Amino acid sequence: DDSSSLDYVSCMDEPEDKSDLKIHSNTAHMLWFSGLRGAVSYACSRMFPDENGNRHPFVVITMSIVLVTVFLLGGTSELVLDTLK
């Protein structure tokens, strides 16, 4: 059925109202709050040079910080969403 593929293509068109493209401050705060900092930090720590044998401590410290912030920030997400309404 070609109508479903046309619906998909039409939803990819630019919106008529350019204000839909703006990231509002509440959305920006939530994107920061729930961002991919943990994944990026972990990837960077895994790529840390191990010439002096310091990669493992960096990975352990990074994962500790990531886990603490995931549970701390993840546990308060509902409060932040309610505040940013």
Side-chain angles (χ1 to χ4, degrees):
D1 181 55
D2 287 336
S3 65
S4 62
S5 62
L6 290 177
D7 290 340
Y8 178 73
V9 171
S10 67
C11 77
M12 294 175 53
D13 293 339
E14 286 191 33
E16 291 179 21
D17 184 12
K18 295 289 184 179
S19 67
D20 289 344
L21 297 176
K22 181 180 177 188
I23 297 177
H24 301 284
S25 63
N26 288 348
T27 304
H29 281 95
M30 201 60 215
L31 287 171
W32 172 85
F33 194 79
S34 62
L36 293 174
R37 293 178 308 279
V40 172
S41 300
Y42 178 70
C44 288
S45 71
R46 295 291 297 170
M47 298 300 294
F48 191 80
D50 198 25
E51 295 168 359
N52 298 322
N54 292 327
R55 180 184 300 156
H56 183 70
F58 270 89
V59 172
V60 170
I61 290 170
T62 301
M63 284 308 301
S64 301
I65 292 169
V66 166
L67 289 174
V68 167
T69 57
V70 162
F71 288 109
L72 181 68
L73 296 179
T76 58
S77 291
E78 185 177 359
L79 175 66
V80 171
L81 286 170
D82 289 339
T83 304
L84 292 175
K85 275 188 182 178

